[in-house]
Amino acid sequence: MTDTDEVEIPEVNHVSGSGLPVRGNDIDTDQIIPARFMKVVTFDGLGEFAFFDQRFTEDDDLKDHPFNEDRFQDSSVMVVNSNFGCGSSREHAPQALLRWGIDAIIGESFAEIFAGNCLALGIPTVTADSETIQTLQEWVDANPDGELEIDVEAEQVRYGDTTIDVTVDDAQRKALVEGVWDTTALMKSNAGAVQETAAELPYVSDATANGSGSESSSSAD
Amino acid sequence: MSKGTLYDKVWDHHTVTTLPTGQEQLFIGLHLIHEVTSPQAFGMLEERDLEVAYPELTHATVDHIIPTADQSRPYEEDAAEEMMSELEENVREAGIEFSDPDSGDQGIVHVVGPEQGLTQPGKTIVCGDSHTSTHGAFGALAFGIGTSQIRDVLATGTVAMEKQKVRKIQIDGELGDGVEAKDVILEIISRLGTEGGVGYVYEYAGEAIENLGMEGRMSICNMSIEGGARAGYINPDETTYEWLQETDYFQENPEKFDELKPYWESIRSDDDAEYDDVVHIDADELEPVVTWGTTPGQGIGISDPIPAPEDLPEDKQDTARRAQEHMRVEPGETMDGYEIDVAFLGSCTNARLPDLRRAARIVEGRQVDDDVRAMVVPGSQRVQEAAEEEGLKDIFEAAGFDWRNAGCSMCLGMNEDQLEGDEACASSSNRNFVGRQGSKDGRTVLMNPRMVAAAAIEGNVTDVRELPEAEVTA
Ligand code: SF4
């Protein structure tokens, strides 16, 4: 963390990994992460609680769920159905999935706020029609180690010998491909300009930013 | 597009640049933090190996989970203790000033900021709490933010935002006896709706606003968010400046006052400012307002009949029906006489010294109804101390009120202060959502603090104007 004026936001152009199917429409954020796991002070440990009530009975016995299956433990691309992530806007939901190991989600459709929250974490949410998704889910089931490759810019997904067309929302595609999805990194890279704005404010007299090279006002532009 | 308003000016002063996403990057002059919404953001910072960019523009306190009876550590509830310890560690590591209980300065974040002089005109102020709009009372641009934005502010001192429209709410005339700032804002929300302000910032203006003290102005700005407006503000004037002069910051830095005053004057909305919308309200027509339902927009004058759902706009009928079922009220009746079990005098809307003073004048020499459990939760330790010194605590206790320590308390029931079962509560807070006060069957009636005092005495919602103030004995 030396030169904050040059923060790299990764461009999320290609995401690849093996897939796992999570079937069902209208899977809400309460299912993704039950509310009782929200009284926490960090998102860190949330991964293990992803889909908790879908994966465990009240007596902590395992239920049937792809997140419980050995063959999907290394998977990073979820294949879901329609209106995934509806319900409460809690940021804890994509955080839990990310921490479990999910890097991208392919589905029929996503709830808007959920997709926005995913974007803030650099997780693409790409869509295709229901038939295509069903075929893909079957392929993933049969090929748990098979590689899926998402090309965000070209709006394509490749698996086996097949290439399918998918849709990535325009704004999302731009943000991911151009590497401007991470507001923290994006704004951090303007640290020099931030200092200049602060210096103009009569009430900010002695504020000096940490690690922003504040002694030199000749910040990179 | 608005032009020449305080909002436009403060926004311009703080704009760093336009981001590739189309949003603007806005410098934040004061970041207030508390124990509930900040820890995840600190966690994210750590994950990325980032430091807090402007610790000296950041200030912390503890309010949501703090017990208001026994505050000895460790707190009885594990989750509360964990959140408090986490906050302590985070602020220590980052070098952030912390108004903790030992400092004597602890309190609800929106009471603490103003009383220490941290809240000033022309600042941008954020906090991971929707009632940050409170600070707009001083002519600051203040709004609540979410977890990733808290992370952004910690890491960069800025937020990414889109500019909003400005609606001027002009309140002319004078408030009648027994009618307070709280009634003005409840009336505004009931007229414009809980979503009426979405996409807007509210500027409150007019004679009735100018005549209010700072505490009343804070009560109004506080509830802007209940009307859907993320921020609300009032242009700074002599009342604002006098108040500021008494705060720690300007007591310690008197030269700053003269230095900053020209800036404060310069950011006032111009006389010929342009607004996206203007709404007029006549203060003379208002009476004490109480809510009959489960949103802050479901309010009526104390002598008005509860509306029949079918008389409301179609999109409001369903919620109204469900609200009336929950509250067990009938259309056509008034709220006068609605039986209550609990009286809660507290919250960042109405737990400042003048609020407690006015309420004390009502309870003085009277007794809380036998069937009512009544409590006062001062907004901060300083309010508490001042109130104790001038004898308000004794007045409340003599009347049968429980006098507690500062915190959010029953405003949201995150500590042990909660409604039980289907208890009905006369509350000086800002939200009457189902479950808000800790019980999913609980019933909340929002009103001004003197009305809460009156309800506690009578055991039911009552028009405080019919309950004369006691002779001041002291
Ligand atoms: S008093 Fe209530 S509204 Fe105010 S900050 Fe606390 S919980 Fe939020």
Short mmCIF file of all heavy atoms in Angstrom, two decimals, chain B residues 251-283:
data_model
loop_
_atom_site.label_atom_id
_atom_site.label_comp_id
_atom_site.label_asym_id
_atom_site.label_seq_id
_atom_site.Cartn_x
_atom_site.Cartn_y
_atom_site.Cartn_z
N GLN B 251 -15.90 26.60 21.57
CA GLN B 251 -15.40 27.07 22.86
C GLN B 251 -13.88 26.91 22.89
O GLN B 251 -13.16 27.77 23.36
CB GLN B 251 -16.03 26.27 24.01
CG GLN B 251 -17.50 26.57 24.24
CD GLN B 251 -17.73 27.94 24.86
OE1 GLN B 251 -17.06 28.32 25.81
NE2 GLN B 251 -18.67 28.70 24.30
N GLU B 252 -13.43 25.80 22.32
CA GLU B 252 -11.99 25.53 22.31
C GLU B 252 -11.26 26.28 21.20
O GLU B 252 -10.07 26.55 21.31
CB GLU B 252 -11.74 24.02 22.17
CG GLU B 252 -12.04 23.23 23.43
CD GLU B 252 -12.33 21.75 23.15
OE1 GLU B 252 -11.89 21.26 22.10
OE2 GLU B 252 -12.99 21.12 24.00
N ASN B 253 -11.95 26.53 20.10
CA ASN B 253 -11.34 27.23 18.97
C ASN B 253 -12.15 28.46 18.60
O ASN B 253 -12.73 28.52 17.52
CB ASN B 253 -11.27 26.31 17.74
CG ASN B 253 -10.64 24.96 18.05
OD1 ASN B 253 -9.42 24.84 18.16
ND2 ASN B 253 -11.48 23.96 18.22
N PRO B 254 -12.22 29.46 19.50
CA PRO B 254 -13.11 30.60 19.23
C PRO B 254 -12.77 31.33 17.93
O PRO B 254 -13.65 31.86 17.26
CB PRO B 254 -12.91 31.52 20.44
CG PRO B 254 -11.75 30.98 21.20
CD PRO B 254 -11.51 29.59 20.78
N GLU B 255 -11.50 31.30 17.53
CA GLU B 255 -11.11 32.02 16.30
C GLU B 255 -11.74 31.37 15.07
O GLU B 255 -12.00 32.03 14.07
CB GLU B 255 -9.58 32.10 16.19
CG GLU B 255 -8.86 30.81 15.75
CD GLU B 255 -8.85 29.71 16.83
OE1 GLU B 255 -9.29 29.95 17.98
OE2 GLU B 255 -8.42 28.58 16.51
N LYS B 256 -12.04 30.07 15.18
CA LYS B 256 -12.64 29.35 14.05
C LYS B 256 -14.02 29.90 13.70
O LYS B 256 -14.47 29.83 12.56
CB LYS B 256 -12.78 27.86 14.38
CG LYS B 256 -11.48 27.11 14.44
CD LYS B 256 -11.03 26.72 13.05
CE LYS B 256 -9.70 26.01 13.14
NZ LYS B 256 -8.94 26.08 11.90
N PHE B 257 -14.69 30.39 14.73
CA PHE B 257 -16.05 30.85 14.51
C PHE B 257 -16.08 31.98 13.49
O PHE B 257 -16.82 31.94 12.51
CB PHE B 257 -16.67 31.29 15.85
CG PHE B 257 -18.10 31.68 15.74
CD1 PHE B 257 -19.10 30.70 15.79
CD2 PHE B 257 -18.48 33.01 15.57
CE1 PHE B 257 -20.43 31.05 15.68
CE2 PHE B 257 -19.81 33.36 15.45
CZ PHE B 257 -20.79 32.38 15.50
N ASP B 258 -15.24 33.00 13.71
CA ASP B 258 -15.20 34.13 12.78
C ASP B 258 -14.62 33.72 11.43
O ASP B 258 -15.00 34.26 10.39
CB ASP B 258 -14.38 35.27 13.37
CG ASP B 258 -15.04 35.83 14.62
OD1 ASP B 258 -16.29 35.88 14.62
OD2 ASP B 258 -14.34 36.17 15.58
N GLU B 259 -13.73 32.74 11.51
CA GLU B 259 -13.10 32.28 10.28
C GLU B 259 -14.11 31.56 9.37
O GLU B 259 -14.08 31.71 8.15
CB GLU B 259 -12.01 31.29 10.69
CG GLU B 259 -10.74 31.32 9.89
CD GLU B 259 -9.76 30.34 10.51
OE1 GLU B 259 -9.25 30.62 11.62
OE2 GLU B 259 -9.53 29.27 9.90
N LEU B 260 -15.00 30.78 9.99
CA LEU B 260 -15.91 29.95 9.21
C LEU B 260 -17.22 30.64 8.84
O LEU B 260 -17.88 30.27 7.88
CB LEU B 260 -16.21 28.65 9.95
CG LEU B 260 -15.03 27.67 10.01
CD1 LEU B 260 -15.37 26.48 10.92
CD2 LEU B 260 -14.68 27.16 8.62
N LYS B 261 -17.57 31.66 9.62
CA LYS B 261 -18.89 32.27 9.42
C LYS B 261 -19.13 32.76 7.98
O LYS B 261 -20.22 32.54 7.43
CB LYS B 261 -19.11 33.39 10.43
CG LYS B 261 -20.58 33.72 10.59
CD LYS B 261 -20.86 34.66 11.73
CE LYS B 261 -22.28 35.18 11.60
NZ LYS B 261 -22.53 36.35 12.44
N PRO B 262 -18.13 33.40 7.34
CA PRO B 262 -18.37 33.82 5.96
C PRO B 262 -18.72 32.64 5.05
O PRO B 262 -19.57 32.77 4.15
CB PRO B 262 -17.03 34.45 5.54
CG PRO B 262 -16.34 34.80 6.80
CD PRO B 262 -16.82 33.84 7.85
N TYR B 263 -18.09 31.49 5.28
CA TYR B 263 -18.41 30.28 4.49
C TYR B 263 -19.86 29.87 4.73
O TYR B 263 -20.61 29.60 3.81
CB TYR B 263 -17.44 29.16 4.84
CG TYR B 263 -17.79 27.81 4.23
CD1 TYR B 263 -17.81 27.65 2.84
CD2 TYR B 263 -18.10 26.72 5.03
CE1 TYR B 263 -18.14 26.42 2.27
CE2 TYR B 263 -18.42 25.48 4.46
CZ TYR B 263 -18.45 25.34 3.09
OH TYR B 263 -18.78 24.12 2.53
N TRP B 264 -20.24 29.85 6.01
CA TRP B 264 -21.61 29.46 6.34
C TRP B 264 -22.62 30.37 5.65
O TRP B 264 -23.63 29.92 5.12
CB TRP B 264 -21.83 29.52 7.86
CG TRP B 264 -20.92 28.62 8.64
CD1 TRP B 264 -20.23 27.53 8.17
CD2 TRP B 264 -20.57 28.74 10.02
NE1 TRP B 264 -19.50 26.96 9.19
CE2 TRP B 264 -19.69 27.69 10.34
CE3 TRP B 264 -20.94 29.63 11.04
CZ2 TRP B 264 -19.17 27.50 11.61
CZ3 TRP B 264 -20.42 29.44 12.32
CH2 TRP B 264 -19.53 28.39 12.59
N GLU B 265 -22.32 31.67 5.68
CA GLU B 265 -23.23 32.63 5.06
C GLU B 265 -23.29 32.40 3.55
O GLU B 265 -24.34 32.53 2.92
CB GLU B 265 -22.77 34.06 5.35
CG GLU B 265 -22.97 34.48 6.81
CD GLU B 265 -24.42 34.85 7.08
OE1 GLU B 265 -24.85 35.91 6.64
OE2 GLU B 265 -25.14 34.04 7.72
N SER B 266 -22.14 32.03 2.99
CA SER B 266 -22.06 31.92 1.52
C SER B 266 -22.82 30.71 0.98
O SER B 266 -23.21 30.70 -0.19
CB SER B 266 -20.61 31.85 1.08
OG SER B 266 -20.09 30.55 1.32
N ILE B 267 -23.02 29.71 1.81
CA ILE B 267 -23.68 28.50 1.28
C ILE B 267 -25.19 28.53 1.48
O ILE B 267 -25.91 27.63 1.03
CB ILE B 267 -23.10 27.20 1.88
CG1 ILE B 267 -23.02 27.31 3.40
CG2 ILE B 267 -21.72 26.90 1.30
CD1 ILE B 267 -23.79 26.30 4.13
N ARG B 268 -25.71 29.58 2.13
CA ARG B 268 -27.18 29.69 2.26
C ARG B 268 -27.82 29.75 0.88
O ARG B 268 -27.27 30.31 -0.05
CB ARG B 268 -27.53 30.99 3.02
CG ARG B 268 -27.32 30.95 4.52
CD ARG B 268 -27.57 32.33 5.14
NE ARG B 268 -28.87 32.86 4.71
CZ ARG B 268 -30.01 32.64 5.37
NH1 ARG B 268 -29.99 31.95 6.49
NH2 ARG B 268 -31.15 33.12 4.92
N SER B 269 -28.99 29.16 0.74
CA SER B 269 -29.69 29.22 -0.54
C SER B 269 -29.91 30.68 -0.93
O SER B 269 -30.30 31.50 -0.09
CB SER B 269 -31.06 28.53 -0.44
OG SER B 269 -30.88 27.15 -0.23
N ASP B 270 -29.66 31.00 -2.20
CA ASP B 270 -29.88 32.36 -2.67
C ASP B 270 -31.37 32.70 -2.65
O ASP B 270 -32.22 31.82 -2.75
CB ASP B 270 -29.38 32.50 -4.11
CG ASP B 270 -27.88 32.26 -4.20
OD1 ASP B 270 -27.18 32.48 -3.19
OD2 ASP B 270 -27.42 31.82 -5.29
N ASP B 271 -31.66 34.01 -2.57
CA ASP B 271 -33.06 34.43 -2.59
C ASP B 271 -33.75 34.01 -3.88
O ASP B 271 -34.94 33.72 -3.90
CB ASP B 271 -33.15 35.96 -2.42
CG ASP B 271 -32.77 36.37 -1.00
OD1 ASP B 271 -32.84 35.50 -0.10
OD2 ASP B 271 -32.38 37.54 -0.81
N ASP B 272 -32.97 34.01 -4.96
CA ASP B 272 -33.58 33.63 -6.25
C ASP B 272 -33.19 32.20 -6.65
O ASP B 272 -33.16 31.86 -7.83
CB ASP B 272 -33.17 34.63 -7.34
CG ASP B 272 -31.66 34.69 -7.50
OD1 ASP B 272 -30.94 34.05 -6.69
OD2 ASP B 272 -31.20 35.39 -8.43
N ALA B 273 -32.91 31.37 -5.66
CA ALA B 273 -32.55 29.97 -5.94
C ALA B 273 -33.70 29.28 -6.68
O ALA B 273 -34.87 29.63 -6.48
CB ALA B 273 -32.24 29.23 -4.65
N GLU B 274 -33.36 28.32 -7.52
CA GLU B 274 -34.40 27.57 -8.23
C GLU B 274 -34.53 26.17 -7.65
O GLU B 274 -33.54 25.51 -7.36
CB GLU B 274 -34.03 27.47 -9.72
CG GLU B 274 -34.13 28.81 -10.43
CD GLU B 274 -33.52 28.78 -11.83
OE1 GLU B 274 -33.48 27.69 -12.43
OE2 GLU B 274 -33.09 29.86 -12.29
N TYR B 275 -35.78 25.74 -7.49
CA TYR B 275 -36.06 24.44 -6.89
C TYR B 275 -36.76 23.54 -7.90
O TYR B 275 -37.43 24.04 -8.81
CB TYR B 275 -36.92 24.59 -5.64
CG TYR B 275 -36.23 25.39 -4.55
CD1 TYR B 275 -36.31 26.78 -4.53
CD2 TYR B 275 -35.48 24.75 -3.57
CE1 TYR B 275 -35.65 27.52 -3.55
CE2 TYR B 275 -34.82 25.47 -2.59
CZ TYR B 275 -34.91 26.86 -2.58
OH TYR B 275 -34.26 27.58 -1.61
N ASP B 276 -36.64 22.24 -7.72
CA ASP B 276 -37.34 21.32 -8.61
C ASP B 276 -38.81 21.22 -8.24
O ASP B 276 -39.64 20.81 -9.04
CB ASP B 276 -36.68 19.94 -8.53
CG ASP B 276 -35.23 19.98 -8.98
OD1 ASP B 276 -35.00 20.09 -10.19
OD2 ASP B 276 -34.34 19.95 -8.12
N ASP B 277 -39.10 21.58 -6.98
CA ASP B 277 -40.49 21.51 -6.53
C ASP B 277 -40.63 22.36 -5.27
O ASP B 277 -39.67 22.51 -4.52
CB ASP B 277 -40.85 20.04 -6.22
CG ASP B 277 -42.34 19.86 -5.97
OD1 ASP B 277 -43.13 20.63 -6.55
OD2 ASP B 277 -42.71 18.96 -5.20
N VAL B 278 -41.80 22.95 -5.08
CA VAL B 278 -42.05 23.73 -3.86
C VAL B 278 -43.39 23.30 -3.29
O VAL B 278 -44.37 23.14 -4.02
CB VAL B 278 -42.07 25.25 -4.14
CG1 VAL B 278 -42.33 26.03 -2.86
CG2 VAL B 278 -40.78 25.72 -4.79
N VAL B 279 -43.44 23.08 -1.98
CA VAL B 279 -44.68 22.69 -1.31
C VAL B 279 -44.94 23.69 -0.18
O VAL B 279 -44.00 24.10 0.50
CB VAL B 279 -44.53 21.26 -0.71
CG1 VAL B 279 -45.70 20.93 0.20
CG2 VAL B 279 -44.39 20.23 -1.82
N HIS B 280 -46.18 24.12 -0.03
CA HIS B 280 -46.51 25.08 1.03
C HIS B 280 -47.33 24.41 2.13
O HIS B 280 -48.23 23.64 1.85
CB HIS B 280 -47.32 26.25 0.47
CG HIS B 280 -46.51 27.14 -0.41
ND1 HIS B 280 -45.78 28.19 0.07
CD2 HIS B 280 -46.29 27.11 -1.75
CE1 HIS B 280 -45.14 28.78 -0.93
NE2 HIS B 280 -45.44 28.14 -2.06
N ILE B 281 -47.00 24.75 3.36
CA ILE B 281 -47.79 24.26 4.48
C ILE B 281 -48.07 25.43 5.40
O ILE B 281 -47.20 26.28 5.64
CB ILE B 281 -47.04 23.12 5.21
CG1 ILE B 281 -47.08 21.87 4.33
CG2 ILE B 281 -47.63 22.85 6.59
CD1 ILE B 281 -46.49 20.64 4.91
N ASP B 282 -49.30 25.49 5.90
CA ASP B 282 -49.69 26.58 6.76
C ASP B 282 -49.60 26.12 8.22
O ASP B 282 -50.38 25.28 8.66
CB ASP B 282 -51.13 27.00 6.41
CG ASP B 282 -51.52 28.28 7.12
OD1 ASP B 282 -50.71 28.74 7.97
OD2 ASP B 282 -52.61 28.79 6.83
N ALA B 283 -48.66 26.69 8.95
CA ALA B 283 -48.40 26.24 10.32
C ALA B 283 -49.61 26.48 11.23
O ALA B 283 -49.86 25.70 12.16
CB ALA B 283 -47.18 26.95 10.88
#
